Amino acid sequence: MAVGSKDLAPAQLDGFDSERLVAELRKAKEELFNLRFQSATGQLESHGRLKAVKRDIARIYTVLRERELGIRPEPAPVVEAKEEKKAKKSSKKAEAVEAAATEEDAK
């Protein structure tokens, strides 16, 4: 069994865009800092969590580097496509309302 967060499995990291990966990296580094601090003060309950967070950080760096080298493709922006469709629909509705208002003003 692999050590690490179930939230940051390599298959899931493939679906994240670069901005989200950087945000996850920042969170993991903060968590590692907190875990090291707890370890130094003797308050750490789960020492295995240190290893898991380090591996998560390594996974994120690996995905980012592979994308940089072109080994791993950047995911398609699915969310943006949905937002664009919504924007097009709302703009078409706005144009229809404006056209109707213009026609009424012309009469």
Side-chain angles (χ1 to χ4, degrees):
M1 183 175 153
V3 177
S5 300
K6 293 180 181 173
D7 298 336
L8 296 178
Q12 281 188 313
L13 290 175
D14 285 340
F16 292 169
D17 62 341
S18 294
E19 292 175 10
R20 173 107 188 257
L21 282 174
V22 171
E24 291 292 331
L25 179 63
R26 188 177 308 118
K27 285 195 300 188
K29 284 185 172 187
E30 286 176 15
E31 184 178 358
L32 182 62
F33 173 80
N34 290 332
L35 289 171
R36 284 181 175 162
F37 195 86
Q38 289 175 3
S39 178
T41 58
Q43 297 175 350
L44 186 62
E45 294 177 8
S46 175
H47 293 281
R49 186 71 188 137
L50 277 167
K51 186 176 183 179
V53 173
K54 286 180 184 179
R55 287 190 179 194
D56 288 343
I57 291 170
R59 279 190 195 104
I60 294 169
Y61 274 130
T62 301
V63 171
L64 286 171
R65 181 64 177 154
E66 286 177 350
R67 286 183 183 174
E68 191 176 295
L69 295 173
I71 298 169
R72 187 179 301 237
E74 189 78 26
V78 176
V79 176
E80 291 178 14
K82 289 181 182 179
E83 290 176 3
E84 287 178 11
K85 286 181 183 179
K86 287 181 183 179
K88 285 181 182 178
K89 284 183 182 179
S90 63
S91 66
K92 286 181 182 179
K93 287 180 183 178
E95 289 174 6
V97 169
E98 283 182 31
T102 307
E103 288 177 14
E104 287 179 17
D105 289 340
K107 288 180 182 180

